[in-house]
Amino acid sequence: MDDGPEERIRPWGSLTFRDFRLLWIGGIFSGLARYMREMLNFYLIYELSGSAVQLGLTGLFQAVPVLTLGLLSGSIADHFDRKKLLIVTHTVGLTAPFLLAFLIFADLVAVWHLWLLTSLSGAIAVVGGPAQRAFMARLVPRSHMMNAVTLLSVPTQGTLLVGPVLAGSIVDISGIGYAYLANGMLQVASLGALVLIATSGVPEGESGRRRVSIAAIVDGLKFAWQQKIIFAGFLIDWTAMAFGFYRILLPVLAKDVYGVGATGLGILNAAPAIGAVIASLLLLGMGDVRRKGVLLAISGLGYAAFVALLGATPWFWLGLLATVGLGLTDMVSYTLRQALIQLVAPDNFRGRTAATSQMFSTLANSTGSLEIGVAAALLGPQLALVVGGGASALLIAVISARVKTLWQYGASPGPREVPPRTG
């Protein structure tokens, strides 16, 4: 089919499609619930134990489900009804907040309860994540895919700022038991939005008729490897995070370099979310970016440059601008990677490809946390960031030069598709 004249995508364009609008509204409720729950869990664990070590172990319990279920979750998303899978995971997810509220009111809550339920919540997120990403592609036309991915990121960043504040306010006013009840009701609202979606979640092609198996998981890995632009996106993300995972050094910079104390540290931690919101607004204003591969490479190089700047500057205000830039470039890179997965992967491979992306990101964060910590111990935090940013930029440049598809993708227009119904 010949391409007609291109239509500029409005910033809110994907919200004109009823079922995507419901998914987006559900994402607001689930995002608020997620970031409320994270803050409440850390708060309660420290109240019960007074131990920073036990706080650190909580992060381990969050990561274990990703490492054990990550690839399996993609195969599940490609072989079962994605809408039903999301409804089931959201329903099971209601266990954690309401059970914790009961244990708190009964004065029975213990740290191990929180660890166990943290793992349960992590497992639900791992299984539900690829299903949501694979399902989203059914709700908007290809022309709106980047707009849809960007719009879905807006609730994530907004709720990252609002959720913890809401949780803390409820704790101060009514107590932590009522905060967990409120958290559960937000998850009920998110579940309700999912139930109202009319689009089928049954996978297309042969995947829906095959069993979840090792062979299916291997097929998903092979597909990601063969699609060079997708695999290049994974490598760029891994390289950026493995050598530029700056977050764990923010407390050191705030105290020992900038001398700004806890308030300054809080501002530094919030700055990446502000950058991410700015990136989302810019991408929404741009509409559909045709040369996605080119912009992906540029955003990776930009991230590396901001890591080096964060390490090089002795001034708090410039370090703050660097962290805003890190949030901005990271969000651009994330949005482009997710959009490319939706556009390049066929329906029966989207879940496995999204799960592979999730695994790469988790391994990159784990590797980066260890690498930057060791480097900071050997070189000092500032030099570690400068060296990490430089190494990241060099490797991303090599990847970009070797993978020609990054430069070729979007050079010529693709076919237009009939959009789903609006309403």
Side-chain angles (χ1 to χ4, degrees):
M1 182 185 300
D2 292 334
D3 294 324
E6 290 190 12
E7 178 184 353
R8 181 169 178 80
I9 308 299
R10 293 172 295 175
W12 58 88
S14 295
L15 292 177
T16 61
F17 303 104
R18 174 189 177 274
D19 284 352
F20 178 81
R21 189 163 62 244
L22 287 168
L23 185 72
W24 187 81
I25 292 170
I28 294 176
F29 290 122
S30 63
L32 284 171
R34 172 187 174 186
Y35 294 115
M36 277 186 70
R37 185 172 62 252
E38 286 184 0
M39 182 271 187
L40 291 171
N41 287 350
F42 285 126
Y43 176 88
L44 184 55
I45 287 170
Y46 196 69
E47 283 288 300
L48 293 171
S49 68
S51 169
V53 174
Q54 294 198 35
L55 277 175
L57 286 173
T58 307
L60 176 63
F61 281 100
Q62 288 177 330
V64 166
V66 179
L67 298 176
T68 55
L69 296 174
L71 294 177
L72 179 64
S73 67
S75 185
I76 291 172
D78 281 338
H79 291 79
F80 291 96
D81 186 315
R82 290 144 183 178
K83 178 186 171 183
K84 290 181 180 178
L85 191 58
L86 286 171
I87 290 173
V88 168
T89 54
H90 275 63
T91 302
V92 175
L94 295 175
T95 304
F98 289 123
L99 180 56
L100 282 169
F102 169 78
L103 292 170
I104 291 167
F105 289 131
D107 200 22
L108 297 172
V109 69
V111 170
W112 71 268
H113 294 139
L114 288 142
W115 284 345
L116 178 64
L117 293 172
T118 292
S119 289
L120 174 63
S121 297
I124 290 167
V126 169
V127 174
Q132 183 197 48
R133 294 171 198 167
F135 187 40
M136 185 200 73
R138 296 277 188 88
L139 309 182
V140 296
R142 288 175 65 88
S143 60
H144 287 63
M145 199 62 64
M146 188 165 173
N147 178 262
V149 172
T150 308
L151 279 170
L152 278 179
S153 72
V154 173
T156 300
Q157 300 305 320
T159 55
L160 174 60
L161 294 172
V162 176
V165 175
L166 179 61
S169 299
I170 297 175
V171 169
D172 286 340
I173 295 171
S174 303
I176 194 165
Y178 288 102
Y180 274 109
L181 284 178
N183 182 259
M185 294 309 298
L186 286 170
Q187 290 183 239
V188 170
S190 179
L191 175 61
L194 283 174
V195 170
L196 292 174
I197 293 176
T199 302
S200 170
V202 178
E204 297 174 356
E206 295 183 359
S207 288
R209 299 189 291 272
R210 294 172 55 192
R211 295 181 179 179
V212 176
S213 63
I214 298 297
I217 294 173
V218 172
D219 284 345
L221 291 172
K222 287 181 178 177
F223 174 82
W225 165 254
Q226 292 166 354
Q227 303 301 314
K228 296 304 181 185
I229 191 167
I230 291 180
F231 196 73
F234 294 168
L235 287 180
I236 288 173
D237 178 50
W238 187 89
T239 302
M241 294 303 161
F243 293 94
F245 193 76
Y246 65 93
R247 284 184 176 273
I248 66 168
L249 294 185
L250 290 181
V252 182
L253 294 175
K255 180 180 179 181
D256 298 338
V257 178
Y258 304 140
V260 292
T263 300
L265 175 59
I267 295 172
L268 280 173
N269 275 291
I274 295 171
V277 171
I278 294 172
S280 298
L281 295 175
L282 289 173
L283 289 171
L284 290 172
M286 292 168 65
D288 185 37
V289 177
R290 185 179 295 281
R291 304 300 294 275
K292 295 179 178 65
V294 174
L295 187 54
L296 178 60
I298 292 172
S299 64
L301 291 169
Y303 181 92
F306 281 120
V307 169
L309 176 61
L310 180 63
T313 180
W315 301 298
F316 173 70
W317 67 268
L318 191 53
L320 187 62
L321 288 177
T323 53
V324 171
L326 285 163
L328 188 152
T329 50
D330 188 35
M331 175 55 64
V332 171
S333 177
Y334 169 82
T335 302
L336 290 164
R337 292 196 312 273
Q338 296 306 313
L340 285 168
I341 288 173
Q342 305 297 335
L343 292 168
V344 175
D347 185 77
N348 58 331
F349 274 97
R350 284 197 187 106
R352 281 169 286 178
T353 309
T356 304
S357 173
Q358 186 173 254
M359 282 290 293
F360 263 85
S361 294
T362 301
L363 291 173
N365 290 343
S366 301
T367 303
S369 179
L370 177 62
E371 183 276 330
I372 202 71
V374 172
L378 295 174
L379 305 174
Q382 290 182 282
L383 185 55
L385 288 169
V386 172
V387 171
S392 179
L394 177 61
L395 290 172
I396 291 172
V398 171
I399 293 167
S400 301
R402 293 293 299 273
V403 183
K404 304 300 183 185
T405 315
L406 282 170
W407 309 101
Q408 297 166 353
Y409 186 89
S412 59
R416 296 175 63 88
E417 295 189 357
V418 178
R421 67 188 179 90
T422 61

